[in-house]
Every structure is written in C-alpha cells, then in structure tokens.
Amino acid sequence: MVDKLQKGKDEEGTVRVGLMRAWEVVAAFPGDQLGAIFKAERGAVMNFLGVRNQSLFAHGATPIGERDYKEHAPVAEKFIRSAMGKALATLHKKRVSPLPQFPTEWN
C-alpha cells in the first residue's frame, strides 16, 4: 500500500487519494475496526458508489431513480451507521446512542 501511495505524490510531496483509496488505506491497517467494516461491506459499497458516481450527485449526469434509491440507500445507510457508530464509540470510549432517522421529505 505504501508503494502505491508513494507513486501518487505530487510535486510538493503531497499524496492525494480518492474515496475508495482512502478506505483501502484504512483497511490496510491490521485490526482496524473501521477497516474491518469496509472489508465486510466493500462489494456493496462499490455497487452503491458506482450508481452515485454516475449520478448528478457526483460525476455524472444520470438522475438516481426510485429503484436505484430503494436498492442502494439501505446499503449506504448501514455502512455509514456502522462506521460512524464504531468511530464514535472508539473516540468516546462509551456506548453511543443511535443516529437519528435521515430526513424523508423536503418539508
């Protein structure tokens, strides 16, 4: 992993990584709890990001339809809740309360 990152240095010696590479770096640390969550959900996260990347929300021009939303939103929510819950519990060294429900309408 270090060799891959070294190749990505710019003229100032800064290594810049995209979203997936950042998670792969985290997952490369043995015993990292966030990395373990990513490893377990990697395929589902990749599928979600494929739709996201082609959408208006990221790099593409395709609207996310109801079918894509219903298929991928639960995957993204599960991953985010797991990762945030683990990170917060680790930071605070205590049990954290569940995250609130994401908004479901614009009102």
Side-chain angles (χ1 to χ4, degrees):
M1 179 60 66
V2 174
D3 291 338
K4 288 181 184 178
L5 294 174
Q6 292 293 337
K7 291 178 185 176
K9 280 186 177 181
D10 63 17
E11 301 81 37
E12 298 170 0
T14 302
V15 176
R16 299 186 194 283
V17 296
L19 178 62
M20 288 307 296
R21 180 59 54 94
W23 276 107
E24 289 169 357
V25 169
V26 171
F29 286 91
D32 185 272
Q33 294 177 344
L34 287 175
I37 292 169
F38 172 72
K39 284 179 185 177
E41 300 293 331
R42 188 179 196 286
V45 170
M46 290 292 292
N47 289 338
F48 162 74
L49 288 176
V51 171
R52 174 218 171 246
N53 287 346
Q54 297 302 314
S55 78
L56 296 167
F57 292 108
H59 313 290
T62 306
I64 293 179
E66 182 177 359
R67 180 174 173 249
D68 281 332
Y69 176 81
K70 286 182 176 180
E71 180 179 344
H72 296 286
V75 171
E77 182 179 350
K78 176 184 173 196
F79 178 70
I80 291 167
R81 286 182 185 275
S82 295
M84 288 183 68
K86 186 61 71 179
L88 291 172
T90 300
L91 287 174
H92 298 292
K93 305 271 191 230
K94 64 180 181 180
R95 186 179 174 99
V96 295
S97 58
L99 294 173
Q101 171 63 42
F102 287 133
T104 56
E105 46 189 62
W106 290 101
N107 300 349

XYZ file of all heavy atoms in Angstrom:
834
model
N 0.826 -1.186 0.000
C 0.000 0.000 0.000
C 0.872 1.253 0.000
O 0.568 2.211 -0.701
C -0.928 -0.022 1.223
C -1.831 1.186 1.328
S -2.970 1.489 -0.050
C -4.042 0.102 0.050
N 1.941 1.249 0.760
C 2.816 2.426 0.829
C 3.401 2.731 -0.544
O 3.459 3.889 -0.962
C 3.937 2.212 1.870
C 4.934 3.358 1.833
C 3.347 2.073 3.263
N 3.807 1.692 -1.275
C 4.357 1.909 -2.619
C 3.329 2.559 -3.547
O 3.654 3.468 -4.308
C 4.834 0.589 -3.228
C 6.060 0.036 -2.522
O 6.770 0.828 -1.870
O 6.292 -1.176 -2.607
N 2.079 2.088 -3.473
C 1.021 2.672 -4.304
C 0.825 4.143 -3.961
O 0.636 4.981 -4.835
C -0.295 1.922 -4.101
C -0.343 0.550 -4.706
C -1.703 -0.063 -4.456
C -1.769 -1.495 -4.954
N -3.074 -2.111 -4.667
N 0.861 4.456 -2.672
C 0.664 5.846 -2.251
C 1.836 6.720 -2.661
O 1.647 7.866 -3.067
C 0.448 5.917 -0.735
C -0.835 5.274 -0.227
C -0.866 5.280 1.288
C -2.051 5.974 -0.797
N 3.038 6.203 -2.570
C 4.228 6.971 -2.948
C 4.175 7.380 -4.421
O 4.615 8.468 -4.782
C 5.506 6.168 -2.678
C 5.805 5.938 -1.221
C 6.151 7.212 -0.465
O 6.569 8.206 -1.032
N 5.962 7.175 0.840
N 3.653 6.509 -5.255
C 3.544 6.811 -6.690
C 2.583 7.961 -6.963
O 2.651 8.593 -8.009
C 3.098 5.565 -7.456
C 4.145 4.479 -7.498
C 3.627 3.254 -8.222
C 4.650 2.143 -8.152
N 4.158 0.900 -8.754
N 1.670 8.230 -6.027
C 0.680 9.264 -6.223
C 1.087 10.637 -5.712
O 0.281 11.562 -5.722
N 2.342 10.793 -5.284
C 2.792 12.090 -4.769
C 2.832 13.134 -5.875
O 3.220 12.854 -6.993
C 4.196 11.977 -4.176
C 4.242 11.407 -2.801
C 5.661 11.483 -2.255
C 5.721 10.980 -0.842
N 7.082 11.062 -0.297
N 2.458 14.357 -5.500
C 2.579 15.451 -6.456
C 3.941 16.130 -6.285
O 4.789 15.656 -5.528
C 1.420 16.447 -6.318
C 1.377 17.152 -4.967
O 2.381 17.139 -4.229
O 0.330 17.746 -4.652
N 4.155 17.243 -6.977
C 5.447 17.936 -6.956
C 5.846 18.402 -5.557
O 7.017 18.536 -5.233
C 5.438 19.156 -7.897
C 5.138 18.842 -9.346
C 3.635 18.684 -9.588
O 2.814 19.401 -8.997
O 3.284 17.791 -10.390
N 4.859 18.664 -4.721
C 5.123 19.142 -3.368
C 5.260 18.008 -2.363
O 5.444 18.248 -1.175
C 4.008 20.091 -2.931
C 3.923 21.336 -3.808
C 2.669 22.143 -3.536
O 1.864 21.752 -2.674
O 2.497 23.170 -4.210
N 5.144 16.774 -2.836
C 5.266 15.619 -1.951
C 3.979 15.226 -1.253
O 3.976 14.385 -0.369
N 2.872 15.830 -1.669
C 1.575 15.532 -1.075
C 0.946 14.351 -1.794
O 0.931 14.305 -3.020
C 0.632 16.748 -1.183
O 1.245 17.858 -0.529
C -0.711 16.466 -0.555
N 0.436 13.420 -1.018
C -0.268 12.273 -1.583
C -1.759 12.561 -1.491
O -2.272 12.845 -0.417
C 0.068 10.973 -0.820
C -0.750 9.814 -1.362
C 1.551 10.670 -0.895
N -2.423 12.520 -2.621
C -3.868 12.734 -2.651
C -4.524 11.423 -3.078
O -4.063 10.777 -4.020
C -4.224 13.842 -3.630
C -3.600 15.165 -3.261
C -4.071 16.285 -4.163
N -3.246 17.460 -4.039
C -3.293 18.335 -3.037
N -4.128 18.141 -2.052
N -2.502 19.373 -3.016
N -5.552 11.066 -2.362
C -6.251 9.821 -2.678
C -7.740 10.087 -2.796
O -8.273 11.007 -2.179
C -6.009 8.731 -1.603
C -4.548 8.339 -1.543
C -6.495 9.170 -0.235
N -8.398 9.281 -3.592
C -9.844 9.369 -3.730
C -10.528 8.600 -2.607
O -9.884 8.020 -1.726
N -11.826 8.581 -2.668
C -12.629 7.956 -1.625
C -12.291 6.481 -1.419
O -12.041 6.037 -0.300
C -14.115 8.117 -1.966
C -15.106 7.479 -1.011
C -14.988 8.099 0.373
C -16.522 7.632 -1.542
N -12.284 5.704 -2.494
C -12.024 4.260 -2.351
C -10.608 3.996 -1.874
O -10.382 3.129 -1.027
C -12.301 3.528 -3.663
C -13.772 3.427 -3.975
S -14.768 2.705 -2.637
C -14.099 1.071 -2.559
N -9.645 4.724 -2.401
C -8.256 4.518 -1.962
C -8.115 4.868 -0.478
O -7.414 4.207 0.266
C -7.306 5.347 -2.817
C -5.834 5.233 -2.485
C -5.255 3.804 -2.582
N -5.466 3.160 -3.832
C -4.620 3.143 -4.868
N -3.473 3.764 -4.799
N -4.933 2.504 -5.966
N -8.826 5.896 -0.024
C -8.776 6.269 1.390
C -9.286 5.120 2.265
O -8.668 4.775 3.281
C -9.590 7.531 1.630
N -10.388 4.503 1.851
C -10.905 3.368 2.620
C -9.962 2.171 2.534
O -9.810 1.415 3.501
C -12.308 2.993 2.148
C -13.347 3.834 2.804
C -14.072 4.834 2.240
C -13.760 3.779 4.172
N -14.910 5.401 3.171
C -14.736 4.771 4.368
C -13.392 2.990 5.258
C -15.356 4.984 5.592
C -14.012 3.208 6.480
C -14.977 4.197 6.635
N -9.318 1.985 1.385
C -8.351 0.883 1.260
C -7.151 1.102 2.177
O -6.617 0.154 2.736
C -7.921 0.737 -0.196
C -9.034 0.174 -1.062
C -8.749 0.261 -2.554
O -7.704 0.820 -2.955
O -9.597 -0.215 -3.319
N -6.748 2.348 2.356
C -5.660 2.665 3.297
C -6.094 2.300 4.710
O -5.355 1.656 5.455
C -5.244 4.153 3.201
C -4.328 4.536 4.347
C -4.579 4.439 1.860
N -7.290 2.705 5.083
C -7.797 2.372 6.422
C -7.841 0.859 6.600
O -7.419 0.331 7.633
C -9.195 2.991 6.643
C -9.823 2.489 7.931
C -9.113 4.510 6.645
N -8.329 0.146 5.596
C -8.462 -1.308 5.676
C -7.111 -2.015 5.697
O -7.022 -3.165 6.125
C -9.306 -1.818 4.507
N -6.055 -1.335 5.262
C -4.730 -1.955 5.224
C -4.110 -2.088 6.618
O -3.159 -2.850 6.801
C -3.795 -1.151 4.315
N -4.642 -1.360 7.585
C -4.113 -1.458 8.940
C -4.705 -2.684 9.625
O -5.920 -2.755 9.821
C -4.443 -0.195 9.753
C -3.621 0.987 9.367
C -4.057 1.863 8.392
C -2.389 1.222 9.973
C -3.297 2.959 8.027
C -1.613 2.310 9.615
C -2.071 3.179 8.645
N -3.859 -3.635 10.010
C -4.371 -4.848 10.674
C -5.112 -4.489 11.965
O -4.665 -3.662 12.742
C -3.104 -5.646 10.997
C -2.045 -5.083 10.110
C -2.414 -3.647 9.873
N -6.260 -5.087 12.137
C -7.025 -4.887 13.356
C -7.826 -3.600 13.416
O -8.487 -3.338 14.422
N -7.789 -2.780 12.372
C -8.556 -1.541 12.392
C -10.037 -1.864 12.264
O -10.453 -2.539 11.317
C -8.123 -0.611 11.255
C -8.811 0.728 11.336
O -9.919 0.857 10.784
O -8.245 1.635 11.966
N -10.839 -1.386 13.200
C -12.261 -1.721 13.215
C -13.024 -1.099 12.053
O -13.912 -1.722 11.480
C -12.875 -1.319 14.547
C -12.308 -2.135 15.692
C -12.843 -1.697 17.041
O -13.410 -0.627 17.181
N -12.669 -2.547 18.032
N -12.688 0.128 11.687
C -13.346 0.739 10.525
C -12.948 0.011 9.247
O -13.774 -0.195 8.357
C -12.989 2.215 10.412
C -13.637 3.140 11.436
C -13.100 4.555 11.280
C -15.133 3.124 11.315
N -11.676 -0.358 9.162
C -11.214 -1.115 8.006
C -11.933 -2.446 7.879
O -12.269 -2.882 6.778
N -12.208 -3.084 9.015
C -12.925 -4.360 9.008
C -14.356 -4.178 8.506
O -14.870 -5.012 7.751
C -12.917 -4.972 10.405
N -14.992 -3.083 8.912
C -16.352 -2.797 8.427
C -16.318 -2.593 6.912
O -17.146 -3.124 6.180
C -16.943 -1.561 9.138
C -17.198 -1.880 10.618
C -18.227 -1.097 8.459
C -17.519 -0.659 11.462
N -15.331 -1.831 6.436
C -15.217 -1.604 4.991
C -14.967 -2.913 4.249
O -15.611 -3.183 3.225
C -14.094 -0.614 4.681
C -13.824 -0.492 3.216
C -14.720 0.159 2.390
C -12.688 -1.051 2.654
C -14.487 0.254 1.022
C -12.445 -0.954 1.301
C -13.351 -0.297 0.482
N -14.050 -3.727 4.748
C -13.754 -5.001 4.081
C -15.008 -5.868 3.954
O -15.251 -6.482 2.919
C -12.678 -5.771 4.839
C -11.293 -5.229 4.643
C -10.301 -6.052 5.466
C -8.913 -5.471 5.396
N -7.956 -6.204 6.240
N -15.804 -5.906 5.023
C -17.012 -6.733 5.016
C -18.066 -6.204 4.044
O -18.837 -6.984 3.481
C -17.592 -6.807 6.433
N -18.092 -4.911 3.840
C -19.124 -4.286 3.011
C -18.582 -3.756 1.682
O -19.292 -3.075 0.961
C -19.784 -3.129 3.783
C -20.453 -3.548 5.068
C -21.663 -4.425 4.841
O -22.328 -4.293 3.793
O -21.935 -5.259 5.717
N -17.340 -4.067 1.347
C -16.679 -3.486 0.182
C -17.489 -3.625 -1.110
O -17.694 -2.670 -1.850
C -15.289 -4.077 -0.010
C -14.490 -3.364 -1.087
C -13.090 -3.988 -1.217
N -12.181 -3.138 -1.938
C -12.203 -2.931 -3.253
N -13.120 -3.526 -4.002
N -11.325 -2.129 -3.823
N -17.960 -4.816 -1.407
C -18.712 -5.051 -2.639
C -19.973 -4.210 -2.712
O -20.268 -3.584 -3.734
N -20.719 -4.172 -1.610
C -21.954 -3.391 -1.570
C -21.657 -1.900 -1.694
O -22.373 -1.169 -2.386
C -22.715 -3.682 -0.281
N -20.586 -1.454 -1.030
C -20.210 -0.041 -1.114
C -19.792 0.302 -2.543
O -20.157 1.362 -3.065
C -19.082 0.291 -0.106
C -18.513 1.679 -0.342
C -19.596 0.161 1.321
N -19.054 -0.574 -3.191
C -18.630 -0.337 -4.579
C -19.843 -0.231 -5.495
O -19.880 0.638 -6.377
C -17.704 -1.457 -5.057
C -16.347 -1.462 -4.398
S -15.345 -0.055 -4.866
C -15.041 -0.422 -6.573
N -20.830 -1.099 -5.315
C -22.049 -1.035 -6.133
C -22.770 0.289 -5.923
O -23.201 0.936 -6.876
C -22.983 -2.195 -5.809
C -22.457 -3.518 -6.304
O -21.628 -3.584 -7.212
N -22.918 -4.589 -5.697
N -22.896 0.694 -4.659
C -23.536 1.969 -4.349
C -22.776 3.127 -4.991
O -23.361 4.010 -5.607
C -23.616 2.162 -2.829
C -23.862 3.585 -2.420
C -25.106 4.153 -2.580
C -22.842 4.353 -1.890
C -25.346 5.467 -2.211
C -23.060 5.666 -1.522
C -24.320 6.225 -1.684
N -21.455 3.131 -4.846
C -20.652 4.230 -5.391
C -20.686 4.263 -6.916
O -20.580 5.334 -7.513
C -19.213 4.151 -4.889
C -19.033 4.513 -3.420
C -17.585 4.317 -2.998
C -19.490 5.932 -3.136
N -20.846 3.105 -7.543
C -20.985 3.080 -8.995
C -22.207 3.870 -9.446
O -22.142 4.675 -10.387
N -23.320 3.676 -8.752
C -24.544 4.417 -9.069
C -24.344 5.885 -8.727
O -24.690 6.778 -9.506
C -25.746 3.828 -8.290
C -26.974 4.707 -8.432
C -26.039 2.418 -8.773
N -23.790 6.152 -7.548
C -23.552 7.532 -7.111
C -22.645 8.277 -8.084
O -22.897 9.417 -8.448
C -22.939 7.543 -5.723
C -22.525 8.913 -5.243
C -21.210 8.762 -4.470
N -20.635 10.044 -4.163
C -19.491 10.473 -4.659
N -18.805 9.752 -5.515
N -19.004 11.626 -4.309
N -21.567 7.634 -8.518
C -20.595 8.300 -9.388
C -21.182 8.682 -10.736
O -20.758 9.669 -11.333
C -19.358 7.427 -9.571
C -18.507 7.386 -8.333
O -18.674 8.181 -7.411
N -17.586 6.436 -8.284
N -22.154 7.916 -11.216
C -22.785 8.225 -12.495
C -23.935 9.220 -12.344
O -24.515 9.665 -13.329
C -23.301 6.940 -13.149
C -22.211 5.947 -13.486
C -21.167 6.536 -14.411
O -21.499 7.187 -15.397
N -19.900 6.326 -14.104
N -24.250 9.575 -11.102
C -25.411 10.418 -10.851
C -25.071 11.902 -10.850
O -23.911 12.303 -10.858
C -26.025 10.057 -9.496
O -25.259 10.637 -8.448
N -26.126 12.677 -10.783
C -25.989 14.131 -10.685
C -25.333 14.548 -9.370
O -24.834 15.655 -9.246
C -27.369 14.790 -10.796
C -28.096 14.599 -12.128
C -29.550 15.018 -12.004
C -27.400 15.370 -13.224
N -25.344 13.663 -8.378
C -24.756 13.962 -7.073
C -23.237 13.888 -7.076
O -22.604 14.301 -6.118
C -25.284 12.996 -6.007
C -26.733 13.188 -5.715
C -27.664 12.256 -6.136
C -27.181 14.303 -5.027
C -29.013 12.429 -5.872
C -28.526 14.488 -4.752
C -29.443 13.549 -5.177
N -22.661 13.348 -8.135
C -21.208 13.167 -8.151
C -20.630 13.608 -9.490
O -20.557 14.790 -9.765
C -20.857 11.716 -7.837
N -20.260 12.655 -10.328
C -19.509 12.954 -11.540
C -20.317 12.809 -12.828
O -19.814 13.118 -13.897
C -18.287 12.028 -11.630
C -17.523 11.935 -10.351
N -16.777 12.977 -9.854
C -17.410 10.935 -9.449
C -16.232 12.624 -8.713
N -16.606 11.393 -8.439
N -21.539 12.312 -12.732
C -22.285 12.000 -13.943
C -23.456 12.926 -14.191
O -23.580 13.992 -13.602
N -24.327 12.469 -15.057
C -25.488 13.266 -15.437
C -26.777 12.460 -15.334
O -27.810 12.882 -15.823
C -25.308 13.766 -16.865
N -26.725 11.307 -14.689
C -27.879 10.432 -14.593
C -28.610 10.654 -13.274
O -27.998 10.562 -12.212
C -27.442 8.946 -14.664
O -26.662 8.750 -15.842
C -28.626 8.012 -14.664
N -29.902 10.941 -13.320
C -30.651 11.054 -12.066
C -30.739 9.688 -11.377
O -30.749 8.656 -12.041
C -32.037 11.510 -12.497
C -31.923 11.902 -13.920
C -30.720 11.219 -14.485
N -30.778 9.695 -10.064
C -30.987 8.457 -9.323
C -32.485 8.236 -9.230
O -33.207 9.065 -8.668
C -30.365 8.529 -7.918
C -28.852 8.597 -8.039
C -30.791 7.322 -7.079
C -28.127 8.706 -6.722
N -32.934 7.135 -9.795
C -34.356 6.825 -9.789
C -34.778 6.118 -8.515
O -33.954 5.744 -7.672
N -36.069 5.925 -8.391
C -36.621 5.281 -7.192
C -36.056 3.875 -6.998
O -35.727 3.483 -5.879
C -38.146 5.227 -7.292
C -38.798 4.619 -6.071
C -40.329 4.627 -6.147
O -40.873 5.128 -7.152
O -40.946 4.131 -5.209
N -35.942 3.133 -8.067
C -35.422 1.755 -7.975
C -33.997 1.735 -7.438
O -33.669 0.962 -6.527
C -35.479 1.090 -9.352
C -34.975 -0.320 -9.355
C -35.213 -0.964 -10.730
N -34.592 -2.250 -10.788
C -33.541 -2.549 -11.539
N -33.022 -1.636 -12.337
N -33.025 -3.747 -11.532
N -33.120 2.588 -7.991
C -31.740 2.661 -7.512
C -31.698 3.107 -6.049
O -30.931 2.583 -5.249
C -30.904 3.625 -8.353
C -30.460 3.008 -9.660
O -30.315 1.771 -9.720
O -30.257 3.763 -10.629
N -32.527 4.093 -5.726
C -32.559 4.580 -4.349
C -32.949 3.464 -3.380
O -32.287 3.231 -2.372
C -33.526 5.756 -4.203
C -33.652 6.205 -2.778
C -32.696 7.035 -2.208
C -34.710 5.761 -1.990
C -32.791 7.423 -0.882
C -34.809 6.150 -0.663
C -33.848 6.969 -0.116
O -33.942 7.338 1.198
N -34.043 2.767 -3.707
C -34.514 1.703 -2.816
C -33.502 0.567 -2.697
O -33.413 -0.080 -1.656
C -35.861 1.171 -3.296
C -37.001 2.121 -3.011
C -38.324 1.549 -3.462
C -39.454 2.498 -3.073
N -40.769 1.979 -3.483
N -32.749 0.322 -3.750
C -31.753 -0.752 -3.729
C -30.493 -0.343 -2.971
O -29.931 -1.136 -2.221
C -31.375 -1.146 -5.161
C -30.350 -2.256 -5.229
C -30.002 -2.646 -6.654
O -30.746 -2.299 -7.591
O -28.953 -3.294 -6.832
N -30.040 0.874 -3.166
C -28.726 1.269 -2.650
C -28.743 2.098 -1.369
O -27.768 2.093 -0.624
C -27.944 2.004 -3.731
C -27.631 1.138 -4.903
N -26.672 0.155 -4.858
C -28.164 1.078 -6.143
C -26.615 -0.468 -6.019
N -27.516 0.078 -6.820
N -29.814 2.817 -1.101
C -29.855 3.654 0.109
C -29.692 2.834 1.388
O -28.921 3.237 2.274
C -31.135 4.477 0.151
N -30.347 1.675 1.521
C -30.150 0.898 2.747
C -28.698 0.429 2.929
O -28.189 0.373 4.049
C -31.089 -0.296 2.583
C -32.132 0.172 1.627
C -31.406 1.102 0.684
N -28.032 0.124 1.833
C -26.634 -0.296 1.897
C -25.760 0.850 2.406
O -24.939 0.673 3.314
C -26.144 -0.754 0.494
C -24.647 -0.984 0.479
C -26.895 -1.985 0.050
N -25.957 2.018 1.825
C -25.182 3.185 2.239
C -25.468 3.541 3.687
O -24.547 3.815 4.468
C -25.497 4.374 1.329
N -26.731 3.507 4.066
C -27.099 3.843 5.437
C -26.493 2.852 6.424
O -25.955 3.248 7.465
C -28.617 3.874 5.584
C -29.059 4.271 6.973
C -30.570 4.331 7.124
O -31.296 4.256 6.115
O -31.011 4.465 8.270
N -26.544 1.572 6.113
C -25.974 0.552 7.002
C -24.472 0.780 7.181
O -23.955 0.735 8.301
C -26.233 -0.842 6.422
C -25.602 -1.952 7.235
C -25.795 -3.298 6.561
C -25.018 -4.357 7.310
N -24.858 -5.577 6.530
N -23.792 1.014 6.083
C -22.346 1.230 6.145
C -22.015 2.482 6.957
O -21.146 2.459 7.832
C -21.762 1.331 4.737
C -20.293 1.606 4.719
C -19.390 0.636 5.132
C -19.805 2.829 4.316
C -18.027 0.891 5.126
C -18.446 3.096 4.312
C -17.556 2.117 4.714
N -22.711 3.568 6.678
C -22.447 4.828 7.388
C -22.740 4.674 8.872
O -21.949 5.091 9.720
C -23.263 5.974 6.772
C -22.730 6.286 5.372
C -23.217 7.216 7.658
C -23.640 7.182 4.552
N -23.862 4.079 9.208
C -24.209 3.895 10.619
C -23.188 3.004 11.325
O -22.783 3.294 12.461
C -25.611 3.317 10.769
C -26.704 4.321 10.491
C -28.097 3.690 10.702
N -29.145 4.607 10.338
C -29.648 5.528 11.151
N -29.170 5.672 12.369
N -30.613 6.325 10.738
N -22.776 1.925 10.682
C -21.784 1.038 11.290
C -20.461 1.758 11.513
O -19.871 1.690 12.593
C -21.539 -0.193 10.405
O -22.684 -0.971 10.308
N -19.995 2.444 10.477
C -18.701 3.131 10.569
C -18.748 4.264 11.591
O -17.838 4.400 12.421
C -18.290 3.665 9.194
N -19.797 5.076 11.555
C -19.894 6.186 12.498
C -20.073 5.684 13.926
O -19.488 6.232 14.860
C -21.029 7.126 12.107
C -20.708 7.954 10.874
S -22.010 9.131 10.464
C -21.887 10.254 11.839
N -20.877 4.668 14.089
C -21.079 4.111 15.428
C -19.785 3.587 16.012
O -19.455 3.840 17.174
N -19.016 2.882 15.203
C -17.731 2.346 15.662
C -16.752 3.472 15.944
O -16.057 3.473 16.966
C -17.160 1.388 14.621
C -15.901 0.670 15.038
C -16.097 -0.186 16.269
C -16.943 -1.401 15.940
N -17.159 -2.279 17.088
N -16.697 4.458 15.066
C -15.763 5.569 15.255
C -16.109 6.366 16.502
O -15.230 6.694 17.305
C -15.774 6.477 14.027
N -17.378 6.670 16.686
C -17.780 7.449 17.851
C -17.575 6.667 19.145
O -17.118 7.216 20.144
C -19.234 7.891 17.717
C -19.501 8.936 16.637
C -21.006 9.145 16.469
C -18.800 10.234 16.957
N -17.893 5.393 19.116
C -17.699 4.572 20.309
C -16.222 4.497 20.668
O -15.856 4.546 21.840
C -18.275 3.175 20.091
N -15.383 4.405 19.661
C -13.946 4.348 19.899
C -13.443 5.680 20.441
O -12.670 5.711 21.406
C -13.195 3.993 18.597
O -13.655 2.716 18.148
C -11.705 3.936 18.811
N -13.879 6.774 19.848
C -13.441 8.093 20.293
C -13.879 8.396 21.717
O -13.132 8.933 22.514
C -13.969 9.181 19.355
C -13.303 9.272 17.993
C -14.036 10.287 17.122
C -11.853 9.668 18.130
N -15.102 8.068 22.028
C -15.657 8.426 23.322
C -15.516 7.324 24.356
O -15.836 7.527 25.522
C -17.126 8.826 23.171
C -17.301 10.029 22.304
N -16.881 11.285 22.683
C -17.817 10.182 21.072
C -17.147 12.144 21.721
N -17.710 11.498 20.726
N -15.076 6.156 23.906
C -14.898 5.011 24.804
C -16.156 4.714 25.609
O -16.097 4.343 26.769
C -13.731 5.255 25.761
C -12.428 5.582 25.093
C -11.661 4.334 24.808
C -10.257 4.719 24.382
N -9.793 4.145 23.234
N -17.297 4.938 24.985
C -18.560 4.615 25.634
C -19.580 4.280 24.563
O -19.377 4.546 23.388
C -19.053 5.770 26.498
C -19.373 7.030 25.721
C -19.843 8.132 26.643
C -20.165 9.365 25.814
N -20.627 10.458 26.623
N -20.659 3.732 24.982
C -21.735 3.397 24.051
C -22.397 4.694 23.575
O -22.678 5.579 24.355
C -22.757 2.506 24.737
C -23.820 2.008 23.813
C -24.778 1.117 24.583
N -25.868 0.767 23.728
C -25.954 -0.374 23.073
N -25.029 -1.272 23.211
N -26.972 -0.624 22.299
N -22.643 4.772 22.284
C -23.271 5.971 21.737
C -24.722 5.658 21.389
O -25.071 4.530 21.094
C -22.528 6.495 20.489
C -21.135 6.947 20.856
C -22.480 5.455 19.401
N -25.543 6.681 21.416
C -26.932 6.484 21.054
C -27.043 6.336 19.541
O -26.202 6.829 18.799
C -27.782 7.657 21.540
O -27.305 8.850 20.987
N -28.085 5.681 19.067
C -28.249 5.513 17.614
C -28.378 6.848 16.906
O -28.852 7.823 17.485
C -29.553 4.719 17.490
C -29.849 4.196 18.854
C -29.140 5.072 19.839
N -27.962 6.874 15.659
C -28.111 8.084 14.857
C -29.587 8.332 14.575
O -30.369 7.394 14.461
C -27.362 7.923 13.529
C -25.847 7.813 13.635
C -25.267 7.477 12.264
C -25.245 9.090 14.157
N -29.976 9.609 14.446
C -31.385 9.895 14.140
C -31.740 9.442 12.722
O -30.860 9.248 11.885
C -31.467 11.415 14.259
C -30.074 11.896 14.058
C -29.171 10.806 14.556
N -33.003 9.319 12.472
C -33.504 8.957 11.149
C -33.138 10.037 10.147
O -33.261 11.214 10.441
C -35.036 8.799 11.213
C -35.713 8.639 9.878
C -35.288 7.382 9.141
O -35.166 6.335 9.754
N -35.038 7.487 7.858
N -32.652 9.632 8.977
C -32.400 10.595 7.905
C -33.739 11.206 7.487
O -34.777 10.554 7.534
C -31.767 9.916 6.696
C -30.335 9.519 6.889
C -29.898 8.255 6.528
C -29.404 10.393 7.427
C -28.584 7.892 6.690
C -28.076 10.032 7.603
C -27.676 8.785 7.236
N -33.730 12.475 7.039
C -34.993 13.082 6.572
C -35.579 12.288 5.412
O -34.851 11.725 4.603
C -34.548 14.468 6.108
C -33.243 14.726 6.763
C -32.616 13.388 6.963
N -36.894 12.258 5.362
C -37.559 11.525 4.286
C -38.362 12.438 3.367
O -38.924 11.982 2.390
C -38.509 10.465 4.867
O -39.439 11.103 5.752
C -37.732 9.384 5.611
N -38.440 13.732 3.701
C -39.130 14.682 2.831
C -38.497 16.051 2.972
O -37.706 16.297 3.876
C -40.634 14.729 3.140
C -40.971 14.821 4.607
C -42.461 14.648 4.854
O -43.002 13.579 4.542
O -43.042 15.623 5.327
N -38.847 16.950 2.048
C -38.212 18.277 1.981
C -38.779 19.276 2.969
O -38.226 20.327 3.174
C -38.352 18.851 0.572
C -37.511 18.136 -0.429
C -37.941 17.197 -1.309
C -36.118 18.286 -0.632
N -36.884 16.751 -2.060
C -35.744 17.407 -1.670
C -35.130 19.077 -0.058
C -34.449 17.303 -2.127
C -33.839 18.968 -0.526
C -33.508 18.088 -1.541
N -39.902 19.025 3.569
C -40.575 19.999 4.450
C -39.733 20.346 5.646
O -39.094 19.718 6.290
C -41.936 19.486 4.904
C -42.842 19.229 3.724
O -42.558 19.615 2.595
N -43.944 18.576 3.985
